Amino acid sequence: MGEQQHVTFPQEVIDEYAALGVDLQALFSAGHLGTRMGVQIVEASVERVVGTMPVEGNTQPYGLLHGGASAVLAETLGSVGSMLHGGSSKIAVGVDLNCTHHRGARSGLVTGVATPVHRGRSTATYEVVISDEEGRRVCTARLTCLLRDVNPGDGARMISTG
């Protein structure tokens, strides 16, 4: 659990970040929290971000997938889409997350698919549908990210390839 897969990015995105000396795989990963929760990003583009997460290890006391775990998956996927939309000159910061939980999941993997609702100059909003292995909707989430300009001090926080 928690081992990151390699995501295939569009070539123009790879080139843009490589020119800045940024490790794209690390920058667009689920981070330490996602790693602990077993989040895997399996597809990433501005139009669609897909990721999975195991139910095991991410449950609440009743043995169901924890709503907060669904929120982590949704925010991760929506943030990746927002970062890709904003490009290397912007930082995507989540400002609103709404999750509606439709059914419980007790085992297996859940899959989240994030698609854009709005892609503007200063905000990006993604809808994230999380489904169980039978394709049944577990959660519907909406994430809005503020796209703010990169400041000189932000570069130190970006993950370098060197």
Coordinates of all heavy atoms in Angstrom, one line a residue, residues 12-118:
E12 N 3.8 17.9 -23.7 CA 4.0 19.4 -23.5 C 4.1 19.7 -22.0 O 4.8 20.6 -21.6 CB 2.9 20.2 -24.2 CG 1.5 20.0 -23.7 CD 0.8 18.9 -24.3 OE1 1.3 18.1 -25.1 OE2 -0.5 18.8 -24.1
V13 N 3.4 19.0 -21.2 CA 3.5 19.2 -19.7 C 4.9 18.8 -19.2 O 5.5 19.5 -18.4 CB 2.3 18.5 -19.0 CG1 2.5 18.6 -17.5 CG2 1.0 19.1 -19.5
I14 N 5.3 17.6 -19.6 CA 6.6 17.1 -19.2 C 7.7 18.1 -19.6 O 8.6 18.4 -18.8 CB 6.9 15.7 -19.9 CG1 5.9 14.7 -19.3 CG2 8.3 15.3 -19.7 CD1 5.9 13.4 -20.0
D15 N 7.6 18.6 -20.8 CA 8.6 19.5 -21.3 C 8.6 20.8 -20.5 O 9.7 21.4 -20.2 CB 8.4 19.8 -22.8 CG 8.6 18.6 -23.7 OD1 9.2 17.6 -23.2 OD2 8.2 18.7 -24.9
E16 N 7.4 21.3 -20.2 CA 7.3 22.6 -19.5 C 8.0 22.5 -18.1 O 8.7 23.4 -17.7 CB 5.8 22.9 -19.3 CG 5.6 24.2 -18.5 CD 4.1 24.5 -18.4 OE1 3.2 23.7 -18.9 OE2 3.8 25.5 -17.7
Y17 N 7.7 21.4 -17.4 CA 8.3 21.3 -16.0 C 9.8 20.9 -16.1 O 10.5 21.3 -15.2 CB 7.4 20.3 -15.2 CG 6.2 21.0 -14.8 CD1 5.0 21.0 -15.6 CD2 6.1 21.7 -13.6 CE1 3.9 21.6 -15.2 CE2 5.0 22.3 -13.2 CZ 3.8 22.3 -14.0 OH 2.7 22.9 -13.6
A18 N 10.2 20.1 -17.0 CA 11.6 19.7 -17.2 C 12.4 20.9 -17.4 O 13.5 21.0 -16.8 CB 11.8 18.7 -18.3
A19 N 11.9 21.9 -18.1 CA 12.7 23.1 -18.4 C 12.9 23.9 -17.1 O 13.9 24.7 -17.0 CB 12.0 24.0 -19.4
L20 N 12.0 23.7 -16.1 CA 12.2 24.4 -14.8 C 13.0 23.6 -13.8 O 13.2 24.0 -12.7 CB 10.8 24.7 -14.2 CG 9.9 25.6 -15.1 CD1 8.5 25.6 -14.5 CD2 10.4 27.0 -15.1
G21 N 13.4 22.4 -14.2 CA 14.1 21.5 -13.2 C 13.2 20.9 -12.2 O 13.7 20.6 -11.1
V22 N 11.9 20.7 -12.5 CA 11.0 20.2 -11.5 C 10.7 18.8 -11.8 O 10.4 18.4 -12.9 CB 9.7 21.1 -11.5 CG1 8.6 20.5 -10.6 CG2 10.0 22.5 -11.1
D23 N 10.7 18.0 -10.7 CA 10.3 16.5 -10.8 C 8.8 16.4 -10.9 O 8.1 16.5 -9.9 CB 10.8 15.8 -9.6 CG 10.5 14.3 -9.6 OD1 9.7 13.9 -10.4 OD2 11.1 13.6 -8.8
L24 N 8.3 16.3 -12.1 CA 6.8 16.3 -12.3 C 6.1 15.1 -11.6 O 5.1 15.3 -11.0 CB 6.6 16.2 -13.8 CG 5.2 16.4 -14.3 CD1 4.7 17.8 -14.0 CD2 5.0 16.1 -15.8
Q25 N 6.7 14.0 -11.6 CA 6.1 12.8 -10.9 C 5.9 13.1 -9.4 O 4.8 12.8 -8.9 CB 7.0 11.5 -11.0 CG 7.1 11.0 -12.4 CD 5.7 10.5 -12.9 OE1 4.9 10.1 -12.2 NE2 5.5 10.6 -14.2
A26 N 6.9 13.7 -8.8 CA 6.8 14.0 -7.3 C 5.8 15.2 -7.1 O 5.0 15.1 -6.2 CB 8.1 14.3 -6.7
L27 N 5.9 16.2 -7.9 CA 5.0 17.4 -7.8 C 3.5 17.0 -7.9 O 2.7 17.5 -7.2 CB 5.4 18.4 -8.8 CG 4.6 19.7 -8.7 CD1 4.9 20.4 -7.4 CD2 5.0 20.7 -9.9
F28 N 3.2 16.1 -8.8 CA 1.8 15.8 -9.1 C 1.4 14.4 -8.4 O 0.5 13.8 -8.9 CB 1.5 15.7 -10.6 CG 1.6 17.1 -11.2 CD1 2.5 17.4 -12.2 CD2 0.7 18.1 -10.8 CE1 2.6 18.6 -12.7 CE2 0.7 19.4 -11.3 CZ 1.7 19.6 -12.3
S29 N 2.1 14.0 -7.4 CA 1.8 12.8 -6.7 C 0.7 13.1 -5.6 O 0.4 14.3 -5.4 CB 3.0 12.2 -6.0 OG 3.4 13.0 -4.9
A30 N 0.3 12.2 -4.9 CA -0.6 12.4 -3.8 C 0.1 12.8 -2.5 O -0.6 13.1 -1.5 CB -1.4 11.1 -3.6
G31 N 1.4 13.0 -2.5 CA 2.1 13.4 -1.3 C 2.2 12.4 -0.2 O 1.7 11.2 -0.4
H32 N 2.7 12.8 0.9 CA 2.8 11.9 2.0 C 1.5 11.3 2.6 O 1.4 10.1 2.8 CB 3.6 12.6 3.2 CG 5.0 12.9 2.8 ND1 6.0 12.0 2.5 CD2 5.6 14.1 2.7 CE1 7.1 12.6 2.2 NE2 6.9 13.9 2.3
L33 N 0.5 12.2 2.7 CA -0.8 11.7 3.1 C -1.4 10.7 2.2 O -1.8 9.6 2.6 CB -1.8 12.8 3.3 CG -3.2 12.5 3.7 CD1 -3.2 11.7 5.0 CD2 -4.1 13.7 3.7
G34 N -1.3 11.0 0.9 CA -1.8 10.0 -0.1 C -1.1 8.7 -0.1 O -1.6 7.7 -0.3
T35 N 0.2 8.8 0.1 CA 1.1 7.6 0.2 C 0.6 6.7 1.3 O 0.5 5.5 1.2 CB 2.6 8.0 0.3 OG1 2.9 8.7 -0.9 CG2 3.4 6.7 0.4
R36 N 0.4 7.3 2.5 CA 0.0 6.6 3.7 C -1.4 5.9 3.4 O -1.7 4.9 4.0 CB -0.1 7.5 4.9 CG 1.3 7.7 5.5 CD 1.1 8.3 6.9 NE 0.4 9.6 7.0 CZ 1.0 10.8 6.8 NH1 2.3 10.9 6.6 NH2 0.3 11.9 6.9
M37 N -2.2 6.6 2.6 CA -3.5 6.1 2.4 C -3.6 5.2 1.2 O -4.7 4.6 0.9 CB -4.5 7.2 2.2 CG -4.6 8.1 3.5 SD -5.7 9.4 3.4 CE -7.3 8.5 3.4
G38 N -2.5 5.0 0.4 CA -2.5 4.1 -0.7 C -3.1 4.7 -2.0 O -3.4 4.0 -2.9
V39 N -3.1 6.0 -2.1 CA -3.7 6.7 -3.3 C -2.7 6.5 -4.4 O -1.5 6.7 -4.3 CB -3.9 8.2 -3.0 CG1 -4.2 8.9 -4.3 CG2 -5.0 8.4 -2.0
Q40 N -3.2 6.1 -5.6 CA -2.4 5.9 -6.8 C -3.0 6.8 -7.9 O -4.2 6.6 -8.2 CB -2.5 4.5 -7.2 CG -1.9 3.5 -6.3 CD -0.4 3.5 -6.2 OE1 0.2 3.6 -7.2 NE2 0.1 3.3 -5.1
I41 N -2.3 7.7 -8.4 CA -2.7 8.5 -9.6 C -2.4 7.7 -10.8 O -1.2 7.4 -11.0 CB -2.1 9.9 -9.6 CG1 -2.5 10.6 -8.3 CG2 -2.6 10.6 -10.8 CD1 -1.9 11.9 -8.1
V42 N -3.4 7.3 -11.6 CA -3.1 6.4 -12.7 C -3.2 7.1 -14.1 O -2.8 6.6 -15.1 CB -4.0 5.1 -12.7 CG1 -3.6 4.3 -11.5 CG2 -5.5 5.5 -12.7
E43 N -3.8 8.3 -14.1 CA -4.0 9.1 -15.3 C -4.1 10.5 -15.0 O -4.8 10.8 -14.0 CB -5.3 8.6 -16.1 CG -5.6 9.3 -17.4 CD -6.9 8.9 -17.9 OE1 -7.3 7.7 -17.8 OE2 -7.5 9.7 -18.6
A44 N -3.4 11.4 -15.7 CA -3.5 12.8 -15.3 C -3.4 13.7 -16.6 O -2.4 13.6 -17.3 CB -2.3 13.2 -14.4
S45 N -4.4 14.5 -16.8 CA -4.4 15.5 -17.8 C -5.4 16.6 -17.4 O -6.1 16.4 -16.4 CB -4.9 14.9 -19.2 OG -6.3 14.7 -19.2
V46 N -5.4 17.7 -18.0 CA -6.3 18.8 -17.7 C -7.8 18.3 -17.7 O -8.6 18.7 -16.9 CB -6.1 20.0 -18.6 CG1 -7.1 21.1 -18.3 CG2 -4.7 20.6 -18.4
E47 N -8.1 17.5 -18.7 CA -9.5 17.0 -18.9 C -9.9 15.9 -18.0 O -11.1 15.7 -17.9 CB -9.6 16.6 -20.4 CG -9.5 17.7 -21.4 CD -10.6 18.8 -21.2 OE1 -11.7 18.5 -20.8 OE2 -10.3 20.0 -21.4
R48 N -9.0 15.1 -17.4 CA -9.4 14.0 -16.7 C -8.2 13.5 -15.8 O -7.1 13.3 -16.3 CB -9.8 12.9 -17.6 CG -10.2 11.6 -17.0 CD -10.7 10.6 -18.2 NE -10.4 9.3 -17.9 CZ -11.4 8.4 -17.5 NH1 -12.6 8.8 -17.4 NH2 -11.1 7.2 -17.3
V49 N -8.5 13.3 -14.5 CA -7.5 12.8 -13.6 C -8.1 11.6 -12.9 O -9.3 11.7 -12.4 CB -7.0 13.8 -12.5 CG1 -6.0 13.2 -11.6 CG2 -6.5 15.1 -13.2
V50 N -7.5 10.5 -12.9 CA -8.0 9.2 -12.4 C -7.0 8.7 -11.3 O -5.8 8.7 -11.5 CB -8.2 8.1 -13.5 CG1 -8.7 6.8 -12.9 CG2 -9.1 8.7 -14.6
G51 N -7.6 8.3 -10.2 CA -6.8 7.7 -9.2 C -7.6 6.6 -8.4 O -8.8 6.6 -8.4
T52 N -6.8 5.8 -7.7 CA -7.5 4.7 -6.9 C -7.0 4.8 -5.5 O -5.9 5.4 -5.2 CB -7.1 3.3 -7.4 OG1 -5.7 3.1 -7.4 CG2 -7.6 3.1 -8.9
M53 N -7.7 4.2 -4.6 CA -7.4 4.1 -3.2 C -8.0 2.8 -2.6 O -9.2 2.5 -2.9 CB -7.9 5.3 -2.4 CG -7.6 5.4 -1.0 SD -8.2 6.9 -0.2 CE -10.0 6.6 -0.4
P54 N -7.2 2.1 -1.8 CA -7.8 0.9 -1.2 C -8.8 1.3 0.0 O -8.6 2.3 0.7 CB -6.6 0.1 -0.6 CG -5.6 1.2 -0.4 CD -5.8 2.2 -1.4
V55 N -9.8 0.5 0.2 CA -10.7 0.7 1.3 C -10.0 0.3 2.6 O -10.1 1.0 3.6 CB -12.1 0.0 1.1 CG1 -12.9 0.0 2.3 CG2 -12.8 0.5 -0.1
E56 N -9.3 -0.9 2.5 CA -8.6 -1.4 3.7 C -7.6 -0.4 4.2 O -6.9 0.2 3.4 CB -7.9 -2.7 3.3 CG -7.2 -3.3 4.5 CD -6.5 -4.6 4.2 OE1 -6.7 -5.1 3.1 OE2 -5.7 -5.0 5.0
G57 N -7.7 -0.1 5.5 CA -6.8 0.9 6.1 C -7.3 2.3 6.1 O -6.7 3.2 6.7
N58 N -8.5 2.5 5.4 CA -9.1 3.8 5.3 C -10.5 3.8 5.7 O -11.4 4.5 5.1 CB -8.9 4.3 3.9 CG -7.5 4.6 3.5 OD1 -6.7 5.2 4.2 ND2 -7.1 4.1 2.3
T59 N -10.8 3.0 6.8 CA -12.2 2.8 7.2 C -12.5 3.5 8.5 O -11.5 3.9 9.3 CB -12.6 1.3 7.4 OG1 -11.6 0.8 8.3 CG2 -12.5 0.6 6.0
Q60 N -13.8 3.8 8.8 CA -14.2 4.3 10.1 C -14.6 3.1 11.0 O -14.5 2.0 10.5 CB -15.3 5.3 9.9 CG -16.3 5.0 8.8 CD -17.5 4.2 9.2 OE1 -17.3 3.2 9.9 NE2 -18.7 4.7 8.9
P61 N -15.0 3.4 12.2 CA -15.2 2.2 13.2 C -16.3 1.2 12.7 O -16.2 0.1 13.2 CB -15.7 3.0 14.4 CG -15.1 4.3 14.4 CD -15.1 4.7 12.9
Y62 N -17.2 1.6 11.8 CA -18.2 0.6 11.3 C -17.6 -0.3 10.2 O -18.3 -1.1 9.6 CB -19.4 1.3 10.9 CG -20.1 2.1 11.9 CD1 -20.2 3.4 11.9 CD2 -20.7 1.4 13.1 CE1 -20.9 4.2 12.9 CE2 -21.3 2.1 14.1 CZ -21.4 3.5 14.0 OH -22.0 4.2 14.9
G63 N -16.4 -0.1 9.8 CA -15.8 -0.9 8.7 C -16.1 -0.4 7.3 O -15.8 -1.0 6.4
L64 N -16.6 0.8 7.2 CA -16.9 1.4 5.9 C -15.8 2.4 5.6 O -15.2 3.0 6.5 CB -18.3 2.2 6.0 CG -19.5 1.4 6.3 CD1 -20.7 2.3 6.6 CD2 -19.8 0.4 5.2
L65 N -15.7 2.7 4.3 CA -14.7 3.7 3.8 C -15.0 5.0 4.6 O -16.1 5.5 4.6 CB -14.8 3.9 2.3 CG -13.9 5.0 1.7 CD1 -12.4 4.6 1.9 CD2 -14.3 5.1 0.2
H66 N -14.0 5.6 5.2 CA -14.1 6.8 5.9 C -14.4 8.0 4.9 O -13.8 8.1 3.9 CB -12.9 7.1 6.7 CG -13.0 8.2 7.7 ND1 -13.2 9.5 7.5 CD2 -13.0 8.0 9.1 CE1 -13.3 10.2 8.6 NE2 -13.2 9.3 9.6
G67 N -15.4 8.8 5.3 CA -15.7 10.0 4.4 C -14.5 10.9 4.2 O -14.3 11.5 3.2
G68 N -13.7 11.0 5.2 CA -12.5 11.8 5.1 C -11.5 11.2 4.1 O -10.8 12.0 3.5
A69 N -11.5 9.9 4.0 CA -10.6 9.3 3.0 C -11.1 9.6 1.6 O -10.3 9.9 0.7 CB -10.6 7.8 3.3
S70 N -12.4 9.6 1.4 CA -13.0 10.0 0.1 C -12.6 11.4 -0.2 O -12.3 11.7 -1.3 CB -14.5 9.8 0.1 OG -14.8 8.4 0.2
A71 N -12.6 12.3 0.8 CA -12.3 13.7 0.6 C -10.8 13.8 0.3 O -10.5 14.6 -0.6 CB -12.6 14.5 1.9
V72 N -9.9 13.0 0.9 CA -8.5 13.1 0.5 C -8.3 12.7 -1.0 O -7.6 13.3 -1.7 CB -7.6 12.2 1.4 CG1 -6.3 12.0 0.9 CG2 -7.6 12.7 2.8
L73 N -9.0 11.6 -1.4 CA -8.9 11.2 -2.8 C -9.4 12.3 -3.7 O -8.8 12.6 -4.7 CB -9.6 9.9 -3.0 CG -9.6 9.3 -4.4 CD1 -8.2 9.1 -4.9 CD2 -10.4 8.0 -4.5
A74 N -10.6 12.8 -3.4 CA -11.2 13.9 -4.2 C -10.3 15.1 -4.3 O -10.1 15.6 -5.4 CB -12.6 14.2 -3.7
E75 N -9.8 15.6 -3.2 CA -9.0 16.8 -3.2 C -7.6 16.5 -4.0 O -7.2 17.4 -4.7 CB -8.7 17.3 -1.8 CG -7.9 18.6 -1.8 CD -8.3 19.6 -0.8 OE1 -9.2 19.4 0.0 OE2 -7.6 20.7 -0.9
T76 N -7.1 15.4 -3.8 CA -5.9 15.0 -4.5 C -6.1 15.1 -6.0 O -5.3 15.7 -6.8 CB -5.4 13.6 -4.1 OG1 -5.1 13.6 -2.7 CG2 -4.1 13.2 -4.9
L77 N -7.1 14.4 -6.5 CA -7.4 14.4 -8.0 C -7.8 15.7 -8.5 O -7.3 16.2 -9.6 CB -8.5 13.3 -8.3 CG -8.1 11.9 -7.8 CD1 -9.3 11.0 -8.1 CD2 -6.8 11.4 -8.4
G78 N -8.6 16.5 -7.8 CA -9.0 17.8 -8.3 C -7.9 18.8 -8.3 O -7.7 19.6 -9.1
S79 N -7.0 18.6 -7.3 CA -5.8 19.5 -7.2 C -4.8 19.2 -8.3 O -4.3 20.2 -8.9 CB -5.1 19.3 -5.9 OG -5.9 19.8 -4.8
V80 N -4.6 18.0 -8.7 CA -3.8 17.7 -9.8 C -4.3 18.3 -11.1 O -3.6 18.9 -11.9 CB -3.6 16.1 -9.9 CG1 -2.9 15.8 -11.3 CG2 -2.7 15.6 -8.8
G81 N -5.6 18.1 -11.3 CA -6.2 18.7 -12.5 C -6.0 20.2 -12.5 O -5.7 20.8 -13.5
S82 N -6.3 20.9 -11.4 CA -6.1 22.3 -11.3 C -4.7 22.8 -11.5 O -4.4 23.8 -12.2 CB -6.6 22.8 -9.9 OG -8.0 22.5 -9.7
M83 N -3.7 22.0 -11.0 CA -2.3 22.3 -11.2 C -1.9 22.2 -12.6 O -1.2 23.0 -13.2 CB -1.4 21.4 -10.3 CG -1.5 21.7 -8.8 SD -0.3 20.8 -7.8 CE -1.0 19.2 -7.9
L84 N -2.4 21.2 -13.3 CA -2.2 21.0 -14.7 C -2.8 22.2 -15.5 O -2.2 22.7 -16.4 CB -2.7 19.7 -15.2 CG -1.8 18.5 -14.8 CD1 -2.6 17.2 -15.1 CD2 -0.5 18.5 -15.4
H85 N -4.0 22.6 -15.1 CA -4.6 23.7 -15.8 C -3.9 25.0 -15.6 O -3.6 25.7 -16.5 CB -6.1 23.9 -15.3 CG -6.7 25.2 -15.7 ND1 -6.9 25.5 -17.0 CD2 -7.1 26.2 -15.0 CE1 -7.4 26.7 -17.1 NE2 -7.5 27.2 -15.9
G86 N -3.5 25.2 -14.4 CA -2.7 26.5 -14.1 C -1.4 26.5 -14.7 O -0.9 27.6 -14.9
G87 N -0.7 25.4 -14.9 CA 0.6 25.4 -15.5 C 1.7 25.8 -14.5 O 1.4 26.0 -13.3
S88 N 2.9 25.8 -15.0 CA 4.0 26.0 -14.1 C 4.1 27.4 -13.5 O 4.9 27.6 -12.5 CB 5.3 25.7 -14.8 OG 5.4 26.6 -15.9
S89 N 3.3 28.4 -13.9 CA 3.4 29.7 -13.4 C 2.3 29.9 -12.3 O 2.3 31.0 -11.7 CB 3.1 30.8 -14.5 OG 1.8 30.6 -15.0
K90 N 1.6 28.9 -12.0 CA 0.5 29.0 -10.9 C 0.7 27.9 -9.9 O 1.2 26.8 -10.2 CB -0.9 28.9 -11.6 CG -1.2 29.9 -12.6 CD -1.6 31.2 -12.0 CE -2.1 32.2 -13.0 NZ -2.5 33.4 -12.4
I91 N 0.1 28.2 -8.7 CA 0.0 27.2 -7.6 C -1.5 27.0 -7.4 O -2.2 28.0 -7.2 CB 0.7 27.6 -6.4 CG1 2.2 27.7 -6.6 CG2 0.4 26.7 -5.2 CD1 3.0 28.2 -5.4
A92 N -1.9 25.8 -7.3 CA -3.3 25.5 -7.1 C -3.5 25.2 -5.6 O -2.9 24.4 -5.0 CB -3.8 24.3 -7.9
V93 N -4.4 26.0 -4.9 CA -4.7 25.9 -3.5 C -6.2 25.6 -3.3 O -7.0 26.5 -3.7 CB -4.3 27.2 -2.8 CG1 -4.5 27.0 -1.3 CG2 -2.8 27.5 -3.0
G94 N -6.5 24.5 -2.7 CA -8.0 24.2 -2.5 C -8.6 25.2 -1.6 O -8.1 25.6 -0.5
V95 N -9.8 25.8 -2.0 CA -10.5 26.7 -1.2 C -11.9 26.2 -0.8 O -12.5 26.8 0.1 CB -10.6 28.1 -1.8 CG1 -9.2 28.8 -1.9 CG2 -11.2 28.1 -3.2
D96 N -12.4 25.2 -1.5 CA -13.7 24.7 -1.2 C -13.8 23.3 -1.6 O -13.5 22.9 -2.8 CB -14.8 25.5 -1.9 CG -16.2 25.0 -1.5 OD1 -16.6 25.1 -0.3 OD2 -16.9 24.5 -2.4
L97 N -14.2 22.4 -0.7 CA -14.4 21.0 -1.0 C -15.8 20.6 -0.4 O -16.1 20.8 0.7 CB -13.3 20.1 -0.4 CG -13.5 18.6 -0.5 CD1 -13.4 18.2 -2.0 CD2 -12.4 17.9 0.3
N98 N -16.6 20.0 -1.3 CA -17.9 19.5 -0.9 C -18.0 18.0 -1.3 O -17.7 17.7 -2.4 CB -19.0 20.3 -1.6 CG -20.4 19.7 -1.4 OD1 -20.7 18.7 -2.0 ND2 -21.1 20.4 -0.5
C99 N -18.4 17.2 -0.3 CA -18.5 15.7 -0.6 C -19.9 15.2 -0.2 O -20.3 15.5 0.9 CB -17.4 14.9 0.2 SG -15.7 15.3 -0.2
T100 N -20.5 14.5 -1.1 CA -21.8 13.9 -0.8 C -21.5 12.4 -0.8 O -21.0 11.9 -1.9 CB -22.9 14.2 -1.8 OG1 -23.1 15.7 -1.7 CG2 -24.2 13.5 -1.4
H101 N -21.8 11.7 0.3 CA -21.5 10.2 0.3 C -22.8 9.5 0.1 O -23.8 9.6 0.7 CB -20.9 9.9 1.7 CG -19.7 10.7 2.1 ND1 -18.5 10.5 1.5 CD2 -19.6 11.7 2.9 CE1 -17.7 11.4 2.0 NE2 -18.3 12.2 2.8
H102 N -22.8 8.6 -1.0 CA -24.0 8.0 -1.4 C -24.1 6.6 -0.9 O -25.3 6.1 -0.7 CB -24.0 7.9 -3.0 CG -23.8 9.2 -3.6 ND1 -24.8 10.2 -3.6 CD2 -22.8 9.7 -4.3 CE1 -24.3 11.3 -4.2 NE2 -23.1 11.0 -4.7
R103 N -23.0 5.8 -0.7 CA -23.1 4.5 -0.3 C -21.8 4.1 0.4 O -20.8 4.7 0.1 CB -23.4 3.5 -1.4 CG -22.3 3.3 -2.4 CD -22.5 2.2 -3.4 NE -23.9 2.2 -3.9 CZ -24.7 1.2 -3.8 NH1 -24.3 0.0 -3.3 NH2 -25.9 1.2 -4.3
G104 N -21.8 3.1 1.2 CA -20.6 2.6 1.9 C -19.8 1.6 1.0 O -20.4 1.0 0.1
A105 N -18.5 1.6 1.3 CA -17.7 0.5 0.6 C -16.9 -0.1 1.8 O -16.4 0.5 2.7 CB -16.7 1.2 -0.3
R106 N -16.9 -1.5 1.8 CA -16.2 -2.2 2.8 C -14.9 -2.9 2.4 O -14.1 -3.3 3.3 CB -17.2 -3.3 3.4 CG -18.4 -2.8 4.1 CD -19.2 -3.9 4.7 NE -20.3 -3.3 5.5 CZ -20.2 -2.9 6.7 NH1 -19.1 -2.9 7.4 NH2 -21.3 -2.4 7.3
S107 N -14.7 -3.0 1.1 CA -13.4 -3.7 0.7 C -13.1 -3.3 -0.7 O -13.9 -2.6 -1.4 CB -13.6 -5.2 0.8 OG -14.6 -5.6 -0.1
G108 N -11.9 -3.7 -1.2 CA -11.5 -3.5 -2.5 C -10.9 -2.1 -2.7 O -10.4 -1.5 -1.8
L109 N -10.9 -1.7 -4.0 CA -10.4 -0.4 -4.4 C -11.6 0.5 -4.7 O -12.6 0.1 -5.3 CB -9.5 -0.5 -5.6 CG -8.1 -1.0 -5.5 CD1 -7.5 -1.0 -6.8 CD2 -7.3 -0.1 -4.5
V110 N -11.5 1.8 -4.4 CA -12.4 2.8 -5.0 C -11.6 3.6 -6.0 O -10.3 3.8 -5.9 CB -13.0 3.8 -3.9 CG1 -14.0 3.0 -3.1 CG2 -11.9 4.5 -3.1
T111 N -12.3 4.1 -7.1 CA -11.6 4.8 -8.2 C -12.3 6.2 -8.2 O -13.5 6.3 -8.3 CB -11.8 4.1 -9.5 OG1 -11.1 2.8 -9.4 CG2 -11.2 4.9 -10.6
G112 N -11.5 7.2 -8.3 CA -12.0 8.6 -8.5 C -11.6 9.1 -9.8 O -10.5 8.8 -10.3
V113 N -12.6 9.8 -10.5 CA -12.4 10.4 -11.8 C -12.8 11.9 -11.6 O -13.9 12.2 -11.3 CB -13.2 9.7 -12.8 CG1 -13.0 10.4 -14.2 CG2 -12.9 8.2 -13.0
A114 N -11.8 12.7 -11.8 CA -12.0 14.2 -11.7 C -12.1 14.8 -13.1 O -11.2 14.5 -14.0 CB -10.8 14.8 -11.0
T115 N -13.1 15.6 -13.4 CA -13.3 16.2 -14.6 C -13.6 17.7 -14.4 O -14.3 18.0 -13.4 CB -14.5 15.6 -15.5 OG1 -15.7 15.6 -14.7 CG2 -14.1 14.2 -15.9
P116 N -13.2 18.6 -15.3 CA -13.4 20.0 -15.0 C -14.8 20.5 -15.1 O -15.5 20.0 -16.0 CB -12.5 20.7 -16.0 CG -12.3 19.7 -17.1 CD -12.4 18.3 -16.5
V117 N -15.2 21.3 -14.2 CA -16.5 22.0 -14.3 C -16.3 23.5 -14.8 O -17.0 24.0 -15.6 CB -17.2 22.0 -12.9 CG1 -18.5 22.9 -12.9 CG2 -17.5 20.6 -12.5
H118 N -15.2 24.0 -14.3 CA -14.8 25.4 -14.7 C -13.3 25.5 -14.6 O -12.6 25.0 -13.7 CB -15.4 26.4 -13.7 CG -14.8 27.8 -13.8 ND1 -15.2 28.7 -14.8 CD2 -13.9 28.4 -13.0 CE1 -14.5 29.8 -14.6 NE2 -13.7 29.7 -13.6

